[in-house]
């Protein structure tokens, strides 16, 4: 099991939270192998790492009563908390089931539309030394604010059959859409490129910069509404819409939103009064997005060694 998956913290941060500070007296530039003899300082470094994990496991064992019950991921912890909230709210579970893709084809199409967040740098000032002062903004508590205040697609996506109705649905403020389209003669309007080339199929004459689309003669793409609106701001292109699927926008269920408010209250009010509950509440808030955006089937590779061995023998 991975401590980072479970805590969403580095070993150093986890140790600091547990009161077991991580050792810093190690030269990472020294090449080591499993056979390299360790000096006393290196042994001490390793032992402190073990102490951190051991202290963390003890706290989780106290909470979940047995090692077997400890979740594998941080999101798994939050799901357990939410089950207590929704154990009698069948409507919530029914909503989740309705939103699940019905077959593998639907799942693949939905995955092709998912983009997630991106942090990009503009090449405008590449290779230049910039001198301050600089201004930056940091939105405090963005996750809970967005989950509480924004509306989300809470009905199954359905295909718009009447082609002449597509424009109307795309402008409806009470609906959101996923669009399947082809783009021709694509060029960028801004220096900070946005669209990843990994999202594209049927590509012709594509030019990229750091994996992002700069120009293209043609490509096929599937994007959700926020990403498509960003695409139109960033690129000039002739767009041919193949079809769209729409969903009704609604606020997240009341029980879920009350849960967010309670945890945010704990996070803000108990930072100095009860550090343990503060850390738990902060962790839960950070994991709440993962609850709402989940990949149902994960990729898995099996038998690769056997395949590679067979190819090597065959070539030999």
């Amino acid at each position: 099991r991975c401590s980072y998956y479970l805590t969403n913290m580095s070993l150093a941060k986890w140790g600091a939270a547990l009161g077991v500070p991580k050792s810093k007296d190690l030269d990472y530039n020294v090449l080591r192998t499993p056979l390299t003899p360790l000096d006393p300082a290196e042994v001490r470094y390793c032992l402190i790492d073990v102490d951190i994990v051991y202290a963390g496991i003890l706290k989780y064992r106290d909470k979940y009563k047995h090692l077997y019950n400890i979740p594998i991921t941080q999101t798994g912890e939050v799901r357990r908390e939410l089950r207590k909230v929704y154990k009698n709210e069948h409507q919530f579970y029914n909503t989740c089931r309705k939103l699940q893709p019905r077959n593998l084809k639907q799942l693949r199409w939905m995955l092709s539309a998912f983009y997630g967040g991106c942090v990009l740098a503009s090449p405008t000032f590449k290779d230049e030394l910039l001198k301050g002062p600089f201004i930056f903004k940091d939105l405090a508590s963005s996750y809970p604010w967005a989950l509480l205040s924004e509306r989300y697609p809470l009905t199954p996506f359905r295909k718009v059959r009447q082609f002449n109705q597509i424009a109307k649905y795309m402008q409806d403020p009470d609906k959101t859409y996923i669009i399947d389209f082809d783009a021709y003669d694509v060029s960028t309007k801004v220096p900070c490129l946005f669209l990843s080339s990994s999202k594209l199929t049927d590509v012709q004459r594509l030019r990229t910069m750091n994996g992002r689309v700069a120009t293209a003669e043609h490509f096929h793409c599937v994007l959700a509404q926020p990403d498509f609106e960003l695409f139109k701001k960033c690129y000039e292109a002739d767009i041919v819409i193949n079809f769209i699927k729409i969903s009704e926008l609604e606020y997240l269920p009341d029980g879920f939103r009350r849960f967010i408010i309670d945890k945010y209250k704990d996070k803000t009010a108990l930072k100095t009064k009860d550090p343990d509950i503060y850390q738990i509440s902060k962790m839960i808030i950070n994991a709440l997005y993962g609850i709402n955006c989940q990949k149902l089937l994960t990729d898995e590779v099996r038998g690769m060694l056997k395949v590679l061995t067979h190819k090597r023998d065959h070539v030999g």
Side-chain angles (χ1 to χ4, degrees):
R1 295 189 179 187
C2 175
S3 62
Y4 188 83
Y5 281 168
L6 179 59
T7 65
N8 205 26
M9 291 187 286
S10 66
L11 207 57
K13 286 188 176 181
W14 196 19
L18 293 166
V20 187
K22 183 175 171 62
S23 176
K24 298 180 180 178
D25 55 348
L26 186 72
D27 185 358
Y28 287 100
N29 295 314
V30 175
L31 182 63
R32 299 177 179 89
T33 75
L35 301 178
T36 302
L38 301 180
D39 62 36
E42 292 170 329
V43 172
R44 179 176 174 274
Y45 180 93
C46 297
L47 291 175
I48 291 176
D49 280 3
V50 174
D51 285 342
I52 293 171
V53 176
Y54 180 68
I57 289 174
L58 287 182
K59 288 184 75 73
Y60 277 105
R61 189 190 64 177
D62 292 342
K63 180 178 180 180
Y64 292 104
K65 309 307 179 187
H66 195 282
L67 293 178
Y68 180 79
N69 296 329
I70 300 174
I72 295 176
T73 66
Q74 190 181 82
T75 309
E77 276 207 275
V78 183
R79 288 196 186 94
R80 294 191 187 187
E81 290 283 324
L82 279 172
R83 285 195 188 104
K84 301 173 187 176
V85 176
Y86 287 110
K87 60 184 178 182
N88 296 318
E89 295 197 25
H90 299 296
Q91 183 180 2
F92 175 76
Y93 286 111
N94 290 335
T95 299
C96 292
R97 278 193 288 268
K98 283 193 303 182
L99 293 175
Q100 292 174 357
R102 290 288 172 254
N103 52 55
L104 193 58
K105 182 179 179 181
Q106 284 186 16
L107 175 64
R108 284 173 173 163
W109 190 79
M110 296 289 284
L111 288 174
S112 70
F114 179 75
Y115 205 91
C118 57
V119 179
L120 304 172
S122 170
T124 304
F125 304 106
K126 181 178 177 291
D127 299 327
E128 292 184 31
L129 178 62
L130 304 180
K131 298 182 178 180
F134 301 105
I135 298 173
F136 68 91
K137 293 183 179 180
D138 181 22
L139 299 177
S141 305
S142 293
Y143 274 164
W145 169 253
L147 292 170
L148 289 170
S149 62
E150 298 288 341
R151 294 186 299 166
Y152 295 89
L154 286 186
T155 61
F157 278 89
R158 59 183 178 85
K159 191 173 182 178
V160 175
R161 302 293 177 184
Q162 302 82 12
F163 201 81
N164 58 356
Q165 297 293 307
I166 287 180
K168 182 188 78 170
Y169 282 120
M170 290 177 69
Q171 297 168 5
D172 190 330
D174 295 320
K175 294 179 174 58
T176 189
Y177 60 84
I178 297 175
I179 182 169
D180 187 300
F181 68 100
D182 285 89
Y184 297 86
D185 299 326
V186 182
S187 60
T188 182
K189 295 193 286 188
V190 295
C192 193
L193 306 180
F194 138 73
L195 185 60
S196 172
S197 58
S198 64
K199 297 286 296 177
L200 313 179
T201 57
D202 299 333
V203 180
Q204 297 176 11
R205 296 184 181 275
L206 172 68
R207 186 172 68 86
T208 63
M209 184 180 295
N210 195 25
R212 309 285 167 169
V213 175
T215 62
E217 188 176 292
H218 167 262
F219 59 73
H220 172 262
C221 191
V222 180
L223 292 176
Q225 179 181 355
D227 300 316
F228 183 66
E229 290 177 350
L230 184 58
F231 172 81
K232 290 189 294 183
K233 291 179 181 178
C234 294
Y235 294 94
E236 295 277 4
D238 295 326
I239 295 171
V240 176
I241 299 174
N242 301 315
F243 63 88
I244 68 167
K245 290 186 178 182
I246 59 170
S247 174
E248 304 292 331
L249 287 172
E250 300 174 15
Y251 289 105
L252 295 173
D254 289 342
F256 182 79
R257 297 168 79 210
R258 285 195 300 269
F259 179 80
I260 297 172
I261 292 171
D262 288 342
K263 296 305 174 185
Y264 186 73
K265 181 181 68 176
D266 291 343
K267 174 180 177 286
T268 53
L270 301 175
K271 185 169 185 178
T272 55
K273 295 180 181 178
D274 195 328
D276 285 345
I277 295 179
Y278 163 77
Q279 285 293 341
I280 293 170
S281 301
K282 182 179 179 181
M283 176 270 293
I284 287 175
I285 287 173
N286 290 339
L288 285 171
Y289 171 73
I291 294 290
N292 292 274
C293 187
Q294 176 188 357
K295 188 175 181 181
L296 295 174
L297 300 177
T298 56
D299 301 324
E300 185 174 330
V301 178
R302 293 190 178 192
M304 184 58 69
L305 182 61
K306 183 179 178 181
V307 172
L308 293 176
T309 303
H310 173 75
K311 286 187 174 180
R312 182 195 63 196
D313 293 343
H314 182 71
V315 173

